[in-house]
Amino acid sequence: MLRGFALTALLLLSILSLISSVGVGVSHADALIGEYKVYIAMFNDAESFNKFVEISRSVAEEIKVLPLIGAVILKSSKAYASLVEVMARKLSGIVFEDYAMPLIDFRFSSSVAGNAENRTETLRVTGVLDSWRMGLNGRGIRIALLDTGIYSDHPWLRRGNRSVVVYTYDATGKVYGDVCVDPITGTPAIHGTAVASIIASQSPEYPGVAPEVDIYNVIVFRPETRCRYAYVSDILKGLEWSLRGPDGVPRSGDEPQ
């Protein structure tokens, strides 16, 4: 079940161990505060993964199995927290409480983004213009963008009579539409749209670096965090979906590269 995706699982384990200190204590609305918590267990071999799934079903209130990346998301009583941790470690896995990663936002200074000349110079220095001359413009490539959501109909993201965004998947199950909206201010998040434009903008003045790619909009930021934080569990669900693609079948040809 994990065959062929072991490298992905190992990479995720390494990344999570490196960034664990960056997470913040945003309470998980899907768990009953004071009674339940959401935990994540990760494994890099199928046998241990399957054993943990089988055992954890008896102690989990809810469970989400992500076999392609070797992860299990479970909501469990805090009374079983130590048992869950012992089970995972005994099977050579890791387990941790779900936490929210902050959005590292960016704002271009006027000196950089104020005119098309600067943007063209950036494309030249980074070698993008040379790539275009060789015909490397992203055609035939599908990209999964795990972010705050994308304005699919933004003028810069329209290629002919359709959007460069060909599919939207909400890993959080909490977003209505294709962009996370701050429930306090009613302001839609712009980060995902900005990143999508850097990748595939159709603007003649501000073209994307790979204007012919197709983008899958994978939303991992929740309204309950005001679209500023993404739970690790939602990121993992977005990664699992990306390995399967819209038809839910891995390696069937519709998943992003």
Side-chain angles (χ1 to χ4, degrees):
M1 184 159 43
L2 299 179
R3 194 181 303 274
F5 295 103
L7 182 59
T8 301
L10 287 169
L11 178 61
L12 285 169
L13 289 170
S14 300
I15 291 173
L16 288 170
S17 65
L18 287 172
I19 65 177
S20 60
S21 61
V22 183
V24 294
V26 178
S27 59
H28 206 305
D30 283 349
L32 298 175
I33 305 304
E35 295 183 30
Y36 295 93
K37 287 188 177 295
V38 177
Y39 300 95
I40 298 170
M42 299 191 70
F43 304 86
N44 58 13
D45 71 275
E47 183 178 359
S48 296
F49 172 80
N50 290 330
K51 285 182 179 179
F52 182 84
V53 170
E54 182 180 355
I55 297 172
S56 62
R57 291 190 187 280
S58 62
V59 298
E61 183 74 13
E62 295 177 9
I63 186 170
K64 176 73 174 178
V65 179
L66 308 177
L68 296 185
I69 59 175
V72 183
I73 303 168
L74 62 159
K75 187 173 83 172
S76 176
S77 166
K78 289 195 294 184
Y80 288 113
S82 58
L83 177 59
V84 169
E85 186 172 355
V86 168
M87 287 192 305
R89 288 181 175 175
K90 189 174 182 180
L91 294 169
S92 300
I94 62 170
V95 63
F96 52 92
E97 186 180 337
D98 196 13
Y99 60 91
M101 298 297 298
L103 173 67
I104 302 176
D105 208 348
F106 59 88
R107 292 289 185 271
F108 288 123
S109 68
S110 58
S111 62
V112 174
N115 58 68
E117 182 181 349
N118 285 332
R119 182 60 185 268
T120 302
E121 178 64 8
T122 300
L123 294 175
R124 184 191 68 78
V125 170
T126 55
V128 173
L129 294 180
D130 290 335
S131 296
W132 289 353
R133 293 188 188 101
M134 292 186 290
L136 303 176
N137 56 15
R139 181 168 296 176
I141 300 299
R142 299 176 299 275
I143 292 177
L145 178 56
L146 281 67
D147 211 302
T148 59
I150 305 169
Y151 279 115
S152 301
D153 289 327
H154 189 287
W156 286 11
L157 298 179
R158 299 289 301 179
R159 187 166 55 221
N161 61 357
R162 73 177 184 90
S163 174
V164 302
V165 181
V166 298
Y167 202 90
T168 294
Y169 172 72
D170 175 20
T172 74
K174 305 291 184 179
V175 175
Y176 299 97
D178 54 8
V179 178
C180 183
V181 176
D182 185 331
I184 305 299
T185 65
T187 305
I190 65 170
H191 191 274
T193 303
V195 175
S197 296
I198 291 172
I199 297 170
S201 169
Q202 304 296 298
S203 166
E205 272 194 317
Y206 300 102
V209 296
E212 293 298 319
V213 303
D214 288 333
I215 296 179
Y216 289 3
N217 176 24
V218 183
I219 305 171
V220 297
F221 285 80
R222 293 176 172 233
E224 71 193 60
T225 69
R226 302 189 64 184
C227 310
R228 299 174 185 175
Y229 301 89
Y231 285 107
V232 174
S233 57
D234 290 333
I235 295 172
L236 294 178
K237 285 184 284 187
L239 287 171
E240 177 85 7
W241 182 89
S242 298
L243 290 173
R244 296 178 179 276
D247 69 358
V249 180
R251 297 179 177 177
S252 63
D254 70 336
E255 61 274 4
Q257 284 98 329

